[in-house]
């Protein structure tokens, strides 16, 4: 190998590294620069308005104490969220599960093709989840942190800046109502942010935090801020001596209600405009699955699973890696969902009530035994499941006997999980 080849390889490696940095790092870099500009602008805006005390860090520069403290408070949400994101990355790096497919001695043997397909899907979803965390988590956190810091900065400036600076063209008596609106929004933003961080920490403790968690938290935070600002503009009066207390109390109440406050404001706005807002629970159909409660339904909604059909055909490894759900519990839910999809809701309920069959795997086992049943038993099955004739029942059972989705579910249910040892080079999160 010549020196020119080494030089070309080094140049290609540099370009590849630069391409990766531009692909995954530019969003974080832009968010960081915007955050720094926000902090500097906040301090510069407050420097000549409030505070007489000064502080000189290391004797390098002299700063006013109160503006510096407010700028630090504005910076805290972004810093806190990045610490939380590092906790998630650190914990996810230790959830490197391996799957080994094996046959259940009480079930029909699985084909080698089914086992290979399940193991390949498991490896693909594991890599997909890892890429999702490493490339998408920190940008989501950066956006949420920048949004929270921006709201705090705007509220602090609205409270402390003189009205003549905000409304220079009004005249000698500029309005002061914006101060109480800023207090309401500040209370709403603070309450909503602290509740969001608390929920995220609980999710982290249960190994159940994803990039979607931060996206939903940012959405809820934005809706709360909009709702608090709108309610303050409609209700706050600058002539009431108890305006400050009412503004803060209203902001805390909106922050506690969260998305429900936005729904209430939306309904009020719709009533004013003469329209209706239809509020529906898209995950209510999942309640037919035994073991799926209200919280489970909301959690499945975060993974874009809002119906029994979606639950039946979502890859098992995707749910496993993106949630804290147990593998056997996921298989049980999908087993029931597949039976509802394949045989219909009425026949699924009949199988559950009359034959104690809960899922598609047991239905497949019944279908394989159908031909060996006595004629009177076959007729009882046909009548109980409301088939037109034994031929229709036989056609359904033959399709279920060779269904690859049920075979894959059997493979996942009987599989063995193991944790992959972590190498020394992987001890620190990326």
């Amino acid at each position: 190998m010549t020196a020119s080849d080494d030089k070309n390889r080094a140049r290609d490696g540099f370009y590849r590294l630069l391409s990766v940095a531009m692909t995954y790092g530019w969003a974080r870099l832009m968010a960081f620069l915007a955050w720094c500009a926000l902090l500097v602008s906040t301090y510069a805006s407050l420097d000549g308005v409030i505070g007489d005390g000064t502080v000189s860090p290391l004797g390098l520069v002299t700063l006013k104490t109160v503006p510096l403290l407010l700028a630090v408070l504005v910076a805290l949400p972004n810093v806190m969220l990045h610490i939380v994101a590092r906790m998630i990355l650190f914990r996810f790096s230790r959830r490197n599960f391996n799957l080994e497919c094996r046959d259940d001695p009480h079930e029909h043997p699985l084909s080698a093709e089914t086992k290979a397909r399940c193991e390949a899907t498991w490896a693909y979803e594991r890599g997909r989840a890892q890429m999702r965390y490493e490339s998408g988590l920190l940008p989501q956190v950066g956006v949420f942190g920048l949004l929270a810091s921006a709201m705090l900065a705007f509220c602090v400036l609205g409270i402390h800046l003189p009205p003549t600076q905000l409304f220079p063209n009004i005249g000698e008596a500029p309005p002061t109502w914006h101060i109480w609106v800023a207090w309401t929004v500040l209370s709403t933003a603070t309450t909503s942010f602290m509740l969001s961080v608390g929920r995220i920490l609980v999710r982290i403790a249960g190994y159940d935090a994803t990039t979607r968690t931060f996206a939903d938290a940012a959405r809820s935070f934005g809706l709360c801020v909009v709702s608090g600002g709108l309610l303050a503009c409609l209700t706050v009066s600058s002539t009431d001596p108890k305006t400050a207390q009412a503004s803060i109390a209203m902001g805390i109440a909106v922050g506690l209600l969260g998305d429900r406050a936005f729904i209430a404001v939306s309904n009020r706005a719709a009533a004013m405009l003469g329209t209706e807002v239809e509020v529906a629970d898209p995950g209510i159909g999942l309640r037919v699955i035994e073991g799926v409660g209200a919280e489970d339904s909301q959690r499945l909604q975060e993974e874009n699973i809002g119906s029994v059909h979606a639950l039946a055909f979502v890859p098992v490894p995707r749910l496993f890696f993106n949630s804290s759900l147990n593998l056997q519990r996921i298989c049980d839910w999908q087993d029931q969902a597949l039976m509802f999809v394949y045989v219909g809701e009425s026949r699924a309920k009949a199988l559950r009530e009359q034959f104690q069959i809960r899922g598609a795997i047991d239905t497949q086992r019944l279908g394989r035994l159908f031909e060996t049943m006595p004629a009177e038993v076959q007729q009882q099955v046909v009548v109980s499941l409301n088939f037109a004739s034994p031929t229709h029942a036989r056609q359904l059972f033959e399709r279920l006997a060779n269904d690859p989705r049920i075979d894959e579910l059997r493979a996942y249910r009987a599989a063995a999980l193991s944790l992959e040892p972590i190498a020394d080079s992987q001890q620190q999160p990326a």
Side-chain angles (χ1 to χ4, degrees), residues 305-335:
I305 300 174
S307 64
V308 175
H309 188 277
L311 177 60
F313 292 101
V314 66
V316 172
R318 182 172 303 175
L319 266 183
F320 178 80
F321 285 111
N322 291 342
S323 69
S324 61
L325 295 172
N326 181 273
L327 181 61
Q328 297 301 320
R329 195 180 185 194
I330 296 173
C331 292
D332 177 61
W333 288 356
Q334 290 205 331
D335 190 23

Side-chain angles (χ1 to χ4, degrees), residues 274-403:
T275 61
E276 295 183 358
V277 176
E278 182 179 357
V279 181
D281 181 8
I284 195 170
L286 294 172
R287 306 292 177 83
V288 299
I289 305 298
E290 289 185 0
V292 176
E295 294 184 0
D296 297 322
S297 179
Q298 293 178 0
R299 182 63 186 89
L300 292 173
Q301 289 289 311
E302 294 186 15
E303 301 300 327
N304 294 325
I305 300 174
S307 64
V308 175
H309 188 277
L311 177 60
F313 292 101
V314 66
V316 172
R318 182 172 303 175
L319 266 183
F320 178 80
F321 285 111
N322 291 342
S323 69
S324 61
L325 295 172
N326 181 273
L327 181 61
Q328 297 301 320
R329 195 180 185 194
I330 296 173
C331 292
D332 177 61
W333 288 356
Q334 290 205 331
D335 190 23
Q336 298 180 58
L338 278 174
M339 183 177 70
F340 273 88
V341 171
Y342 284 161
V343 305
E345 184 175 353
S346 60
R347 286 173 180 161
K349 291 181 179 180
L351 286 170
R352 180 179 295 175
E353 295 172 357
Q354 301 182 29
F355 298 94
Q356 303 303 312
I357 291 178
R358 298 182 65 253
I361 296 177
D362 292 338
T363 307
Q364 185 187 64
R365 187 185 302 113
L366 176 66
R368 286 180 175 149
L369 298 174
F370 185 75
E371 294 297 334
T372 61
M373 293 178 181
E376 60 273 11
V377 178
Q378 288 187 0
Q379 186 64 29
Q380 182 180 0
V381 172
V382 170
V383 173
S384 300
L385 299 183
N386 197 24
F387 284 111
S389 66
T391 303
H392 292 83
R394 192 174 292 110
Q395 181 182 8
L396 172 64
F397 288 142
E398 287 179 357
R399 182 170 63 85
L400 295 181
N402 302 312
D403 187 77

Side-chain angles (χ1 to χ4, degrees), residues 65-294:
T65 307
V66 177
L68 178 61
L69 176 61
L70 293 176
V72 171
L73 292 177
V74 169
L76 283 180
N78 211 350
V79 176
M80 186 183 303
L81 287 175
H82 275 84
I83 294 174
V84 171
R86 287 297 176 180
M87 292 171 59
I88 296 176
L89 292 175
F90 183 81
R91 283 176 173 261
F92 183 79
S93 65
R94 277 142 179 79
R95 292 189 66 203
N96 201 5
F97 289 96
N98 290 326
L99 181 82
E100 180 184 357
C101 291
R102 58 187 182 183
D103 290 323
D104 189 338
H106 304 290
E107 295 284 351
H108 190 75
L110 295 167
S111 64
E113 180 183 358
T114 300
K115 295 179 181 178
R117 186 167 61 248
C118 290
E119 293 175 352
T121 304
W122 184 273
Y124 166 76
E125 292 295 340
R126 184 176 63 181
R128 182 177 181 269
Q130 183 177 0
M131 181 180 298
R132 180 183 179 184
Y133 276 89
E134 293 179 352
S135 63
L137 182 62
L138 291 180
Q140 289 277 4
V141 171
V143 171
F144 185 20
L146 183 60
L147 176 63
S149 295
M151 290 299 102
L152 294 182
F154 292 153
C155 293
V156 168
L157 294 178
I159 293 171
H160 291 92
L161 290 183
T164 54
Q165 292 188 11
L166 297 177
F167 306 99
N169 299 324
I170 295 291
E172 297 182 356
T176 59
W177 58 266
H178 65 281
I179 298 177
W180 315 120
V181 173
W183 273 113
T184 302
V185 176
L186 179 62
S187 303
T188 300
T190 304
T191 305
S192 177
F193 180 79
M194 296 305 298
L195 291 178
S196 298
V197 171
R199 296 189 189 99
I200 292 172
L201 290 176
V202 172
R203 295 281 292 271
I204 293 175
Y207 292 92
D208 198 25
T210 64
T211 54
R212 184 69 180 266
T213 304
F214 288 91
D216 288 339
R219 171 185 172 276
S220 178
F221 178 83
L223 294 179
C224 287
V225 169
V226 172
S227 303
L230 179 57
L231 287 176
C233 291
L234 294 176
T235 60
V236 168
S237 174
S238 59
T239 60
D240 189 352
K242 296 183 178 180
T243 297
Q245 180 180 356
S247 300
I248 296 175
M250 183 187 302
I252 295 176
V254 173
L256 291 174
L257 290 175
D259 291 353
R260 289 176 293 174
F262 179 76
I263 294 175
V265 173
S266 299
N267 291 335
R268 183 67 178 272
M272 294 174 60
L273 297 176
T275 61
E276 295 183 358
V277 176
E278 182 179 357
V279 181
D281 181 8
I284 195 170
L286 294 172
R287 306 292 177 83
V288 299
I289 305 298
E290 289 185 0
V292 176

